[in-house]
Amino acid sequence: MGISEQPSRSKLILWLAGFVVVFSAVSWLVTGGIRVAPSTHGHPATALPGATPTPLDCGSSELEVVGVFNECAKAAPDKTSICSRNGQVLDALLRFAGNSQVFGLDIEIDGAFAGPGSYDLPPWPHGLGTRDNVAKVAVEEYSADTSWQSVAGVLTVTSGDGRSGTVNAVFQASNATAAVPGPTLSVIGPWSCP
């Protein structure tokens, strides 16, 4: 290899490196560049696979229900609404109504209720009514006769008597004993016993 060949090779290598950089930049721009994930402010920290729901603009006294159905729902107590606290057990069945849906919100802490505070909502090891020390929240979608069970999120009890708080949870359809993989439902907002 002669001395005169070396500058040509250096120029060729520099030209190829420049081409690769330009080609990479154009490819990056054409495919969308950096994608920023949507904000989850006010939504459960634990997300499940699937489309990101679009948050609603519900009032501070309403539940925001987003996913398979979308509602801003207000408390609508009736004779089926119950609230009971007995030692380490908290059980509440509350009725909510939106523009197109009426549903029940079933809150249960069976064996681990210790007063005001935050209770994680992991996937359920057992169904409702089982003393397993796990906080559970269920949504009973009356019009479709569908039950949804919490699989992630937080239930907060704010009152000393266990009669009010907030929920921020992700739900999956339930077959009465376990969550069924598929579409999700997100519920965020306040709850209180009548």
Side-chain angles (χ1 to χ4, degrees):
M1 169 158 103
I3 296 178
S4 63
E5 291 178 24
Q6 212 161 32
S8 311
R9 278 197 180 165
S10 295
K11 286 180 184 178
L12 179 62
I13 290 173
L14 285 174
W15 182 87
L16 284 173
F19 176 78
V20 169
V21 168
V22 169
F23 183 78
S24 297
V26 169
S27 296
W28 180 74
L29 288 172
V30 167
T31 58
I34 296 175
R35 295 178 189 210
V36 178
S39 170
T40 58
H41 177 70
H43 293 277
T46 307
L48 296 174
T52 302
T54 303
L56 301 172
D57 188 18
C58 299
S60 62
S61 64
E62 296 177 303
L63 278 184
E64 177 181 299
V65 183
V66 178
V68 176
F69 65 94
N70 300 311
E71 287 283 350
C72 288
K74 292 185 179 192
D78 70 354
K79 63 183 178 187
T80 64
S81 299
I82 61 163
C83 279
S84 68
R85 178 183 171 213
N86 186 6
Q88 295 179 318
V89 176
L90 174 67
D91 190 16
L93 177 57
L94 309 171
R95 187 171 173 264
F96 285 84
N99 288 331
S100 63
Q101 293 279 346
V102 175
F103 60 92
L105 185 70
D106 199 343
I107 298 170
E108 182 179 287
I109 304 173
D110 198 344
F113 181 66
S118 296
Y119 297 84
D120 288 335
L121 296 169
W124 301 3
H126 306 97
L128 289 171
T130 306
R131 191 174 181 98
D132 55 14
N133 300 326
V134 174
K136 301 170 188 167
V137 179
V139 171
E140 303 295 328
E141 186 184 354
Y142 298 139
S143 64
D145 196 26
T146 302
S147 294
W148 299 83
Q149 71 181 54
S150 57
V151 294
V154 175
L155 171 71
T156 303
V157 178
T158 55
S159 64
D161 60 2
R163 296 180 63 85
S164 64
T166 60
V167 63
N168 186 339
V170 174
F171 297 78
Q172 286 185 309
S174 172
N175 65 9
T177 57
V180 178
T184 61
L185 195 63
S186 168
V187 177
I188 300 167
W191 61 271
S192 65
C193 295

